[in-house]
Amino acid sequence: RTPTTTMAEAAPEGEEVEAPPRGVFVYPNGEDKYDGEWAERVYGEGEVPPEPPAPEEGEEPVELKTYCRHGVGRSTCAGGVYDGEWVQDAMEGAGVFEYVSGAKYEGNWKANKYDGAGTYVWPDGSKYQGEFVENVMHGKGTFVDKDGREWIGDFYNNTGPGLKLIL
């Protein structure tokens, strides 16, 4: 996966931009990990950053920087694997999540939820391709059932009233 905007495109004309840091972080359980780009955490209005540790006697206080998943990366956890774009520690932009059940979602993400155009495939081979809003099939879409029958129409809150069977 590549980000939708490259570092060179984001740079003001004539200025150099340093590439974001990249690396691997293994979570304390020893199994979950993130391999990808990260950036310094940006705190929004009302959010309070963690306090730095108190300095030892005679030492200068340290500045605490918090980093998060940001850019393109791969996250592996007990539920599955996500490959795609991250914005301030949230799956956001284009990405693919492959679940341990065999289900798979490929498409747009917003704040860790399916949002926008995407395709969800169930373990039995059934497939929905269309619009999602906050993890819900909602908007124009096509559903192909496990027997290969294709249904098309408008989906509302994960239901498809009035779908038409394509023969």
Side-chain angles (χ1 to χ4, degrees), residues 36-163:
E37 298 171 344
W38 66 81
E40 190 170 345
R41 172 86 157 85
V42 176
Y43 292 92
E45 189 174 322
E47 291 183 305
V48 179
E51 288 289 322
E56 296 284 329
E57 189 174 320
E59 289 185 358
E60 293 291 318
V62 296
E63 180 184 352
L64 181 64
K65 289 186 178 184
T66 305
Y67 292 87
C68 63
R69 297 170 289 191
H70 189 86
V72 178
R74 177 183 182 95
S75 182
T76 306
C77 65
V81 177
Y82 173 78
D83 277 301
E85 297 175 296
W86 295 85
V87 174
Q88 290 293 303
D89 226 19
M91 295 177 282
E92 187 138 350
V96 178
F97 198 111
E98 295 186 50
Y99 295 88
V100 294
S101 67
K104 177 181 175 180
Y105 172 77
E106 181 170 0
N108 292 317
W109 294 78
K110 184 176 180 182
N112 293 324
K113 295 180 180 180
Y114 317 148
D115 204 273
T119 301
Y120 188 94
V121 181
W122 283 265
D124 70 359
S126 299
K127 176 172 79 172
Y128 169 78
Q129 184 171 9
E131 293 297 315
F132 287 85
V133 176
E134 294 188 353
N135 275 353
V136 174
M137 296 179 292
H138 193 85
K140 298 273 184 215
T142 302
F143 178 79
V144 179
D145 66 26
K146 66 180 181 167
D147 298 319
R149 291 180 297 241
E150 188 173 335
W151 304 80
I152 191 164
D154 292 318
F155 287 76
Y156 299 97
N157 295 319
N158 270 347
T159 64
L163 292 180

Side-chain angles (χ1 to χ4, degrees), residues 24-27 29 31-35 74-77:
V24 177
F25 177 82
V26 178
Y27 290 83
N29 68 8
E31 295 176 18
D32 298 349
K33 73 177 184 177
Y34 173 74
D35 182 355
R74 177 183 182 95
S75 182
T76 306
C77 65

